Amino acid sequence: MKISFLSLAAAALAVATAAPTKRQAADDKVIVGYWVPWGRVPVAALDMTKVTHINYGFGILIKKNPDPATITFDRYYDGTPMKELVKRGNASGVKILMSIGGWTGSQTFSSVVADTAARKRFINNALVFVRKNTLPEYAENPDGWGMHGLDIDWEYPGRGAAICNQVSPNDSANYLILLRELRAALDAEFPTDRKLLTAAVRVMPFDGTNGQPMTDVSAFHPYYDFINIMAYDIMGGWSATTGPNAPFDVVPGADPFSYNQSINSWLQAGWPKSKLVMGTAFYGRSMTATVDMVAASPRSIFAPKTNVTPKGGSSDSNEPNFFCNEGSVYSGMWKWKEVREAILTTSLTTPVAGWTRVWDEGTKTPWLFRQSDKTFISYDDPESLAIKVQKAKADGLRGVMYWDMTYDYNNELLNVLQQIKCTSNCPIPTPRPTTTTAVVPTSTTTVPVSTSTSPGVTPNPGKCTGVANWNIATVYANTNTKVVHAGHLFSNKWWTQGDEPSVTNAWGVWSDQGAC
Ligand SMILES: *[C@@H]1O[C@H](CO)[C@@H](O)[C@H](O)[C@H]1NC(C)=O
Ligand SMILES: *[C@@H]1O[C@H](CO)[C@@H](O)[C@H](O)[C@H]1NC(C)=O
Ligand SMILES: *[C@@H]1O[C@H](CO)[C@@H](O)[C@H](O)[C@H]1NC(C)=O
């Protein structure tokens, strides 16, 4: 995750199954949250019924340490919430993992994995997080933290990322050796109480010795329970134009990375669906455009911008990061709760005066624009998130992850993630506004937002021929499934069961395709 560590100033943060085609039961679906102490949401305030795994961010690898294999965390600052999380996790069945790395905490992974002795020291250090404490409860330095697994958040093997990172073309090959040794050490020490091993990864498979994403990463997956794709931080203050933080799909002529692309790229490189978890952003990124993006015709999410990132939400800071100084710059990040508290105060689609909300159909994400100073914010909301969750579900992936647990507003976004497990009465996302449109950058035609307020469509004999009647008990898992009900043809916008199609409910799951 392209995030800050402590300073808040960030620039950016199983064993192989023998049953290859076995479908994941809904119970196996995971909802993974990252929790960070500097987000200032107490562990006691977390709703443990809505997640299956919590990754504690972070234990870090920094060059300041004499031994590159030392995993740094603060026994007081981190230790208290780590203990609280384990306690709450044990009581509620939520798995707690120590996440090692992060944007500024991945500095020495490269030299650790390259050296046999350093790997051994790293593994010994990492195992302390999953060991049971054998010292008295009041001991200041427990010899174990009782966690349920480890999450490796190396950003990124073979691709430096933060300026403080060591990097080598051999990173991914060496990482594989570490994984094999780490998995073996976990299994040797915990033969019955199996410990989890997961990772956070970027939108492309690990980079190979040629500096390009590997075309086959199947050797890696046996060691992980699952990996979480960070399908965000795709465009931001560092980009050449304004654009989406976390696009659902790629748009011709723009940045080639997206949620959809990352799924395809990992699956094509031999990754199993059952071990693929899709990361979502509970935050937006702001940039300063040089044109009035709302007045522009046609409107586009891609516009020229200045190279200075504006201050984001109220918590954004331009203090240099304590662990890796990448400059005194703002991240431009807006937590979802900051967007809700300052801009979308009364409605998900109608901002306060001065701002305009636009839905971008190309990337399937909303954006906000303030004309007075040309501030642009790309973000995710319940509607864009629902599209992503439905995709993960329709593709049979393992689940969803979010960054991070301290950004939400009254669980508004986390509630949408619940759809990954949902089998009936699933929460329905809120509608996009009908007043705005946006276009793809290289297209000459506008893509209007469908309003679907179209009762009284001319009957079209034959259009419903062969289409099954809607059934209250049927699960409609794939979007655009056609059904007939009350003399009309309908198609679903997302996963649904038990929702009756209606011509008057334009915002419901079923969109009216007209009379039969
Ligand atoms: C929590 O569960 C883990 C794994 O089963 C165990 O090692 C640890 O001691 C438990 N900790 C607490 C505080 O219950
Ligand atoms: C990468 O590994 C090869 C083979 O072990 C070795 O010869 C080479 O020196 C390594 N390169 C770097 C940059 O460490
Ligand atoms: C996602 O990617 C696939 C394969 O590249 C492509 O066919 C599809 O149109 C994309 N969009 C969606 C919404 O799946």
Side-chain angles (χ1 to χ4, degrees):
M1 12 287 0
K2 229 173 177 188
I3 45 84
S4 55
F5 188 86
L6 297 184
S7 78
L8 302 169
L13 157 99
V15 174
T17 168
T21 53
K22 181 176 163 278
R23 274 187 70 85
Q24 290 289 327
D27 292 3
D28 290 329
K29 298 288 186 197
V30 302
I31 300 174
V32 182
Y34 278 84
W35 186 88
V36 298
W38 66 89
R40 295 173 197 216
V41 171
V43 169
L46 302 176
D47 185 344
M48 304 297 277
T49 66
K50 292 192 158 85
V51 293
T52 60
H53 297 71
I54 296 176
N55 293 340
Y56 185 89
F58 290 101
I60 60 173
L61 298 181
I62 47 176
K63 287 197 258 185
K64 280 178 193 161
N65 289 326
D67 179 359
T70 300
I71 303 170
T72 294
F73 66 103
D74 184 309
R75 284 181 191 277
Y76 306 100
Y77 179 76
D78 296 293
T80 304
M82 282 159 58
K83 282 185 192 165
E84 285 172 357
L85 276 172
V86 170
K87 216 168 262 172
R88 290 209 68 197
N90 283 11
S92 57
V94 173
K95 306 283 186 206
I96 311 300
L97 292 86
M98 188 64 180
S99 185
I100 303 169
W103 181 256
T104 55
S106 297
Q107 297 175 21
T108 62
F109 266 120
S110 184
S111 58
V112 169
V113 296
D115 179 75
T116 309
R119 285 196 303 270
K120 193 162 244 169
R121 295 197 303 279
F122 173 85
I123 290 168
N124 283 337
N125 294 337
L127 257 59
V128 173
F129 297 115
V130 292
R131 281 189 187 127
K132 246 185 174 53
N133 180 30
T134 64
L135 302 175
E137 175 78 13
Y138 55 79
E140 276 191 7
N141 296 320
D143 58 358
W145 296 89
M147 294 187 171
H148 310 106
L150 301 169
D151 174 62
I152 308 292
D153 189 5
W154 180 354
E155 303 183 19
Y156 311 101
R159 179 178 289 254
I163 59 172
C164 303
N165 290 4
Q166 300 165 346
V167 59
S168 157
N170 289 351
D171 281 352
S172 295
N174 293 337
Y175 185 17
L176 187 57
I177 302 172
L178 172 78
L179 289 170
R180 192 192 319 129
E181 294 172 352
L182 181 54
R183 184 70 263 172
L186 289 169
D187 292 344
E189 187 164 330
F190 303 95
T192 49
D193 176 22
R194 192 174 179 286
K195 299 297 181 181
L196 301 172
L197 187 53
T198 67
V201 303
R202 61 187 289 271
V203 288
M204 292 295 284
F206 302 125
D207 287 287
T209 45
N210 62 358
Q212 295 300 313
M214 297 163 72
T215 53
D216 182 0
V217 287
S218 56
F220 288 77
H221 71 73
Y223 304 114
Y224 294 117
D225 292 274
F226 53 81
I227 58 168
N228 305 295
I229 299 184
M230 297 181 280
Y232 39 73
D233 296 332
I234 288 172
M235 291 184 75
W238 58 89
S239 303
T241 66
T242 65
N245 175 49
F248 174 73
D249 220 339
V250 295
V251 172
D255 198 284
F257 302 116
S258 73
Y259 186 92
N260 187 23
Q261 160 277 318
S262 66
I263 296 173
N264 295 332
S265 297
W266 278 92
L267 293 183
Q268 277 160 20
W271 204 267
K273 289 178 172 186
S274 61
K275 292 187 179 183
L276 202 58
V277 174
M278 290 307 298
T280 59
F282 282 23
Y283 63 92
R285 285 190 176 276
S286 57
M287 293 153 241
T288 304
T290 55
V291 297
D292 184 338
M293 294 173 67
V294 162
S297 179
R299 271 184 195 163
S300 171
I301 191 172
F302 305 98
K305 65 183 255 302
T306 71
N307 54 17
V308 179
T309 304
K311 178 171 162 53
S314 53
S315 66
D316 196 14
S317 154
N318 60 358
E319 274 172 56
N321 185 284
F322 179 74
F323 294 101
C324 179
N325 184 350
E326 296 192 291
S328 299
V329 289
Y330 287 110
S331 70
M333 279 174 63
W334 281 82
K335 301 175 183 179
W336 175 242
K337 63 185 174 191
E338 293 170 342
V339 171
R340 291 290 269 127
E341 281 161 5
I343 306 171
L344 297 172
T345 54
T346 55
S347 142
L348 292 174
T349 50
T350 310
V352 295
W355 290 88
T356 303
R357 181 210 188 244
V358 179
W359 174 263
D360 181 66
E361 189 53 29
T363 62
K364 298 201 176 353
T365 54
W367 50 277
L368 287 159
F369 193 75
R370 182 164 59 194
Q371 283 172 296
S372 61
D373 62 358
K374 303 193 178 69
T375 298
F376 160 91
I377 306 173
S378 162
Y379 65 105
D380 273 276
D381 69 358
E383 185 187 3
S384 65
L385 212 49
I387 293 169
K388 290 173 174 164
V389 178
Q390 296 313 329
K391 169 79 172 161
K393 197 163 175 168
D395 284 3
L397 306 184
R398 184 64 175 275
V400 286
M401 174 274 271
Y402 66 114
W403 178 267
D404 73 38
M405 297 184 81
T406 69
Y407 292 175
D408 207 353
Y409 182 76
N410 297 335
N411 288 332
E412 221 162 47
L413 300 181
L414 182 54
N415 287 342
V416 177
L417 297 191
Q418 305 309 305
Q419 292 179 25
I420 196 79
K421 292 172 154 285
C422 178
T423 52
S424 67
N425 296 323
C426 305
I428 292 175
T430 45
R432 69 189 72 170
T434 57
T435 50
T436 51
T437 63
V439 297
V440 299
T442 55
S443 160
T444 51
T445 55
T446 55
V447 181
V449 171
S450 92
T451 58
S452 58
T453 46
S454 55
V457 193
T458 336
N460 179 0
K463 77 193 280 187
C464 299
T465 310
V467 179
N469 285 329
W470 171 75
N471 184 313
I472 191 165
T474 302
V475 172
Y476 298 96
N478 299 321
T479 55
N480 293 321
T481 303
K482 304 249 182 308
V483 296
V484 171
H485 186 63
H488 276 238
L489 184 68
F490 291 89
S491 70
N492 64 327
K493 294 186 255 180
W494 53 82
W495 184 100
T496 185
Q497 182 186 32
D499 288 307
E500 184 178 353
S502 149
V503 292
T504 53
N505 181 10
W507 301 126
V509 55
W510 293 105
S511 84
D512 182 17
Q513 307 294 306
C516 290

